[in-house]
Amino acid sequence: MKPSKTILLLGTSLALGLVLRGVRAPLAASTPQNPSLLPEIVFVQAPEVVDARDLADRFPQGSRLVRLNPNRPDASVMNLTDGFFAATDPAVSPEGSRILFSGKDKADAPWQIWEMDLDGIQKRQITHCSSDCLRPAYLPHDQIVYSAMSANRRPREADLYVSETNGANPHAITFGPGDFQVETVLRSGRILISAESALVAEDQRALPRALYTIRPDGTGLMEFRPQNRENLIQSGTEELDDGTVLFVVKGAAKQGPGGMLAWIRPGVLHNSLVTPRQASYWSAHQLDGSTLVVAKTSVNSPSRNEKFDLYAFDLVTRSAGKLIYHNSEFSSVQAVPLEPHDTPRYYWSILHPQLKTGRVICLNAYLSASAPSGRLTTPIDRVRVLMLNSKQREEVVLGEAPVEKDGSFYVTVPADRAMRFELLDAKGQIIKAQRSWVWTRPGEDMGCLGCHDDKAMAPPNHWPMALSRFDTPIALGTPSPAGTAGH
């Protein structure tokens, strides 16, 4: 069972060119008079770019952030992170005056989140993480989101954290084993993230990464689309002006760090390739209209030592054109334009931090996208809820609740704890077991349509039987030994 959009039910219980040093003026939000001129860009230069599963290992020999005016004939760059061993993940503030980035001031230091002006002179450290913190992005109301990686597991996991832009009040918004990584913040205000699909526990990882959305308060986790299962390259994802989501994927036979451009168009359920399978791209971001700036290798045959240059890419012809920047000693990747952009919408959270529980309403557990007919046929008697003990990495049983004849159930569970569901028949045998992890936030009402429900389906317009009892929801929260979990 995967969470879907919050279901609004009756009653209040289920509501729901090149700046000179010393000059720090914001970039003007205007269209260039000469449409052939490209905006200034900031990007990563690195002597080596590797295909690393761990975000912290992408640049083993270090990296730096540089600024370039591609319209200058000398094509010289300004080093913005002099004195850092490595810097990556540039994100430009909505007004275009600041750059958020991940940085390591020393080779043996953990990655931290930093912010600087456009000229790189004034830098300030935002996070003071004991382990690596990477992939930052701006949120509305002077907040940021980033990925905080665990220190004691290989391959490591990561949770999403939100804090003020001054580093105050850092708090987690994810609570399950999924190696959560920030991709971008959509204009709708939702955070687009990637995670090991489908958020399975560490010892069960077998599927590639998938895209999910989540609200800044940690509610509303759901799969962005039922994507074709091809590995995302950890170089960031871009939302284009028309709502298209663009990213880079690696084919099963592709060697080296590059991959293919892919996108999910508005209103389309599945992703499709933009470039051929033999292509070798590492990152792509929108410059203007149908023009992207892409990191593309000029090497024809796959190589683990290929270098990436920056090109203009035409989405209409789906081809790389003008060479923007080349350096024989460095790969150039993660280029983003230094110009203002839309501020994402702000989500007003309706959570109740003083509460320790959340509620889950399932409309019809019989609905299942993985069932041959889209519906389970075995009569469901009850649902078992299991919780993951985060320290011992063991499951405990919270309890069981009845499933009504229409497939609905309604339970209260501990907040901010990873949990999953098992559907049982009258004999206690498992009919369907969820293998992914979800959670509720304090005071959240989380709704789902069914068990592994189809995201293209709308919920039926009827009052679920589980809400007809005066004693609902069923409170579950006293863990019992995992030996009763039915495994």
Side-chain angles (χ1 to χ4, degrees), residues 243-322:
T244 294
V245 170
L246 183 76
F247 47 94
V248 186
V249 296
K250 179 182 292 295
K254 179 70 175 67
Q255 300 297 316
M260 306 158 288
L261 297 186
W263 60 12
I264 300 176
R265 307 302 303 274
V268 177
L269 287 180
H270 298 280
N271 63 295
S272 57
L273 293 180
V274 178
T275 57
R277 291 190 174 273
Q278 65 269 24
S280 189
Y281 296 82
W282 201 81
S283 62
H285 294 276
Q286 188 172 28
L287 278 180
D288 189 20
S290 62
T291 303
L292 310 176
V293 55
V294 298
K296 176 182 178 294
T297 180
S298 57
V299 179
N300 293 325
S301 59
S303 168
R304 293 186 181 276
N305 299 316
E306 54 194 359
K307 289 286 192 295
F308 292 89
D309 298 324
L310 299 180
Y311 291 84
F313 186 94
D314 190 335
L315 280 173
V316 176
T317 62
R318 300 193 183 189
S319 61
K322 175 184 177 181

Side-chain angles (χ1 to χ4, degrees), residues 44 48 68 74 119 125 140 161 163 232 253 360 390 418 441 446:
V44 177
E48 184 181 11
L68 170 72
D74 58 358
D119 54 17
Q125 185 175 339
Y161 273 71
S163 78
L232 282 169
V360 180
S390 58
R441 299 302 321 278
M446 185 181 75

Side-chain angles (χ1 to χ4, degrees), residues 2 16 19 52-53 88 97 104 124 140 150 215 266 270 296 324 400 403 415 428 441 462 487:
K2 298 179 183 177
L16 322 216
V19 173
R53 180 174 179 179
T88 185
S97 64
K104 295 180 65 166
R124 62 184 184 91
S150 62
R215 300 187 188 108
H270 298 280
K296 176 182 178 294
I324 295 177
E400 298 177 356
V403 174
R441 299 302 321 278
H462 77 279
H487 292 287

Side-chain angles (χ1 to χ4, degrees), residues 87-391:
T88 185
D89 303 329
V92 179
S93 62
E95 77 282 358
S97 64
R98 295 166 293 152
I99 301 172
L100 203 61
F101 68 99
S102 311
K104 295 180 65 166
D105 51 3
K106 300 178 182 178
D108 58 351
W111 290 93
Q112 303 289 351
I113 308 304
W114 296 71
E115 189 180 51
M116 63 182 172
D117 293 342
L118 301 183
D119 54 17
I121 292 179
Q122 291 192 351
K123 298 182 181 69
R124 62 184 184 91
Q125 185 175 339
I126 295 178
T127 64
H128 295 82
C129 306
S130 58
S131 187
D132 295 306
C133 286
L134 300 109
R135 194 60 70 77
Y138 285 101
L139 293 171
H141 287 205
D142 294 322
Q143 290 187 320
I144 63 170
V145 60
Y146 55 90
S147 298
M149 306 188 72
S150 62
N152 56 354
R153 291 189 177 91
R154 284 285 182 181
R156 289 194 290 171
E157 296 176 356
D159 278 309
L160 301 184
Y161 273 71
V162 168
S163 78
E164 310 298 329
T165 52
N166 62 5
N169 190 30
H171 56 278
I173 63 169
T174 58
F175 304 91
D179 189 23
F180 299 95
Q181 295 173 17
V182 177
E183 295 293 332
T184 190
V185 179
L186 302 175
R187 288 191 296 275
S188 67
R190 296 173 298 163
I191 305 169
L192 186 66
I193 66 176
S194 64
E196 296 287 348
S197 178
L199 309 185
V200 294
E202 182 176 336
D203 58 353
Q204 296 175 302
R205 287 179 179 170
L207 297 175
R209 302 187 68 79
L211 293 174
Y212 296 81
T213 58
I214 191 172
R215 300 187 188 108
D217 63 359
T219 62
L221 176 71
M222 63 184 300
E223 191 173 14
F224 181 65
R225 296 286 195 278
Q227 304 127 63
N228 300 331
R229 297 302 183 183
E230 296 185 272
N231 276 303
L232 282 169
I233 291 181
Q234 301 178 101
S235 57
T237 299
E238 176 88 338
E239 183 186 23
L240 306 183
D241 289 341
D242 66 352
T244 294
V245 170
L246 183 76
F247 47 94
V248 186
V249 296
K250 179 182 292 295
K254 179 70 175 67
Q255 300 297 316
M260 306 158 288
L261 297 186
W263 60 12
I264 300 176
R265 307 302 303 274
V268 177
L269 287 180
H270 298 280
N271 63 295
S272 57
L273 293 180
V274 178
T275 57
R277 291 190 174 273
Q278 65 269 24
S280 189
Y281 296 82
W282 201 81
S283 62
H285 294 276
Q286 188 172 28
L287 278 180
D288 189 20
S290 62
T291 303
L292 310 176
V293 55
V294 298
K296 176 182 178 294
T297 180
S298 57
V299 179
N300 293 325
S301 59
S303 168
R304 293 186 181 276
N305 299 316
E306 54 194 359
K307 289 286 192 295
F308 292 89
D309 298 324
L310 299 180
Y311 291 84
F313 186 94
D314 190 335
L315 280 173
V316 176
T317 62
R318 300 193 183 189
S319 61
K322 175 184 177 181
L323 175 66
I324 295 177
Y325 184 78
H326 164 77
N327 187 312
S328 59
E329 297 181 1
F330 295 96
S331 277
S332 300
V333 297
Q334 284 190 316
V336 295
L338 282 173
E339 56 184 9
H341 55 85
D342 293 338
T343 300
R345 294 179 181 175
Y346 180 73
Y347 264 106
W348 291 98
S349 177
I350 57 173
L351 299 183
H352 301 277
Q354 72 277 10
L355 299 181
K356 303 298 182 182
T357 60
R359 291 170 292 198
V360 180
I361 173 68
C362 177
L363 292 186
N364 189 349
Y366 285 100
L367 299 178
S368 174
S370 59
S373 61
R375 182 182 177 89
L376 301 175
T377 57
T378 304
I380 303 172
D381 182 72
R382 57 192 186 274
V383 60
R384 175 186 292 148
V385 183
L386 301 100
M387 185 181 71
L388 183 66
N389 187 310
S390 58
K391 294 183 178 180

